[in-house]
Amino acid sequence: MTAAQRVIPLLITLALLIFCTLMALYPAETWHASVRGLAIWWDVLFPSLFPFLVLSELLLGFGIVHFLGTLLNPLMRPLFRVPGSGGFVFAVSCASGYPTGARLTAQLWEQKLVTREEGERLVAFTTSSDPIFMIGAVSVGFFHDTSIAPILVASHYAAAVLVGMLMRFHGRSDASTATPPAAQEEHRSRFTRAIYAMHEARQADGRTLGELLRHAVSSSLRLIIIVGGLVVFFSVIMELMVQTGWLGVLYNLTEQGLHLAALPPSLSHSLVGGLFEVTLGAKEAGGAVASIPLVFKVAAASFVLSWGGLSVHAQIMSVLSSTPMRYGPFLLARVIHAAIAPLLVVLLWPLLMGSMASPVFENNAFMPPYSAYSPEWKRIGMTGISVFSSILFLMLCLAWMGSKLMFKRGKK
């Protein structure tokens, strides 16, 4: 056992004892922080995540992943070095947000559809925020300006795709896990092979609809409760750090770094808050002083959404704990995503905003404050389904074009 392996558990134990002591010293603040974290989970995370978790579990049981995997393989293999089933994971993750991508990837590994390194690549670029949170909570609730929604969404998802293309170089050059079609299937079209793959997967699963639904609801509830517990936990940790003044040290260090980079030092509260929790960091970015240019505020929010916060990191670690997939590649991908997304905001700003760029305003009858923002199930469902369908349709079109080009090259 190395020295680090002996020291790290002792440091973690000491930190936990310190936080337990602080909770006893600040009981009222701890309670209020827990309530805030619980409100975030119930108002935002539960309604936006739970329906998609259940639906994705049902789709896995019915073999839709094998169907889409066969169709999307010509796109996902060359671009990201992951099986075609990763396209389904990416589409669902864009529609529902983190940690759905990690959860589906873990299920693909359990079904032996991905290797460890393919799973690590897949988790790296399918961990993203959902459009409901970026548009409803961040753009409307925190910034009170719907004009920033397109650039926020575009920079976030474009950076995710770039991260996936960069992470394709992660790991050794392993052989494709996709089995070549049998001789009797070579004459079949890719769509026909996809239908057969879905049928075989459904037969191999063997569960009835009732069993699938019961398992989907129970497993989704377990995951969503874990997510809620981690959000409450980090909300309490943040409040204790504020009460003891430890967060002020991070604020000062971040302000100095921003000053050296010729960026507004006032954004330190957003960046430090987002280091721990997405919602807090995005809220601080929207509430920053009016003298800061809006482009820098949106870039800070984009950084926070791409990093995910330690709360999301803990969620991903808990999901991947039952698999051999490692946390290191995911951490590297979050750093890359958090670096690319703000740059894309700055680059895309003149193109997407132009004269539409307006300062953050506080009072507008059509833009309710965040305290009044409460996601509706109908809006969440329709937006999520629209995003999922659009991304899936685009990926199927690209995969079809890729398969046609590969076929033409093969004939030559």
Side-chain angles (χ1 to χ4, degrees), residues 12-282:
I12 293 175
T13 303
L14 179 61
L16 293 175
L17 290 174
I18 292 174
F19 282 120
C20 286
T21 305
L22 292 176
M23 289 175 64
L25 294 175
Y26 300 98
E29 290 80 1
T30 299
W31 184 84
H32 287 296
S34 299
V35 171
R36 285 198 302 271
L38 188 62
I40 292 172
W41 175 72
W42 180 253
D43 291 338
V44 178
L45 298 179
F46 189 91
S48 62
L49 277 179
F50 184 72
F52 285 96
L53 291 175
V54 175
L55 288 174
S56 61
E57 183 77 25
L58 292 174
L59 291 174
L60 281 169
F62 276 99
I64 192 66
V65 173
H66 297 74
F67 173 80
L68 294 174
T70 305
L71 294 179
L72 294 174
N73 205 57
L75 172 67
M76 304 303 290
R77 280 286 175 198
L79 286 181
F80 308 114
R81 283 180 66 201
V82 296
S85 54
F88 171 78
V89 177
F90 183 62
V92 175
S93 178
C94 289
S96 58
Y98 22 63
T100 310
R103 194 242 193 174
L104 292 176
T105 303
Q107 290 178 317
L108 292 183
W109 180 84
E110 292 172 358
Q111 297 182 8
K112 296 181 173 56
L113 296 177
V114 295
T115 63
R116 185 189 73 173
E117 291 181 343
E118 286 173 342
E120 290 171 351
R121 297 182 202 123
L122 190 55
V123 173
F125 74 95
T126 58
T127 301
S128 59
S129 182
D130 61 280
I132 283 292
F133 182 74
M134 286 189 284
I135 298 172
V138 179
S139 301
V140 176
F142 298 152
F143 280 84
H144 310 298
D145 190 350
T146 54
S147 66
I148 69 168
I151 194 169
L152 198 60
V153 173
S155 63
H156 186 71
Y157 290 137
V161 173
L162 292 176
V163 168
M165 297 175 69
L166 291 174
M167 290 299 292
R168 75 181 308 277
F169 301 104
H170 163 66
R172 62 184 185 278
S173 300
D174 47 7
S176 173
T177 57
T179 58
Q184 64 272 20
E185 293 186 354
E186 289 182 352
H187 65 282
R188 295 174 179 168
S189 66
R190 184 173 295 274
F191 183 80
T192 304
R193 295 202 302 268
I195 292 291
Y196 273 89
M198 181 176 66
H199 177 67
E200 292 172 359
R202 179 70 188 116
Q203 285 186 325
D205 186 276
R207 289 176 293 176
T208 64
L209 178 59
E211 291 174 333
L212 273 174
L213 185 60
R214 178 179 57 83
H215 184 267
V217 172
S218 61
S219 61
S220 300
L221 277 175
R222 285 195 297 270
L223 178 59
I224 203 70
I225 289 173
I226 292 174
V227 170
L230 289 171
V231 170
V232 172
F233 174 75
F234 278 96
S235 178
V236 171
I237 296 298
M238 279 285 297
E239 182 62 28
L240 293 177
M241 294 183 69
V242 170
Q243 294 298 324
T244 55
W246 296 347
L247 214 58
V249 177
L250 291 178
Y251 287 147
N252 292 332
L253 293 175
T254 307
E255 286 177 0
Q256 293 176 10
L258 291 172
H259 182 72
L260 292 175
L263 295 173
S266 301
L267 291 176
S268 61
H269 284 69
S270 172
L271 301 182
V272 173
L275 176 67
F276 294 92
E277 217 286 311
V278 174
T279 309
L280 179 61

Side-chain angles (χ1 to χ4, degrees), residues 299-375:
S302 181
F303 171 87
V304 169
L305 290 168
S306 302
W307 166 250
L310 293 181
S311 175
V312 171
H313 285 237
Q315 295 170 27
I316 302 300
M317 291 175 67
S318 66
V319 172
L320 299 182
S321 60
S322 59
T323 72
M325 287 179 273
R326 298 162 293 184
Y327 170 70
F330 170 78
L331 177 62
L332 175 63
R334 290 303 93 215
V335 173
I336 297 174
H337 198 173
I340 293 177
L343 291 177
L344 289 179
V345 169
V346 176
L347 293 175
L348 295 175
W349 191 265
L351 178 65
L352 296 182
M353 298 297 288
S355 60
M356 292 292 294
S358 58
V360 178
F361 51 88
E362 297 297 331
N363 298 318
N364 191 307
F366 300 100
M367 305 288 180
Y370 176 69
S371 58
Y373 169 73
S374 180

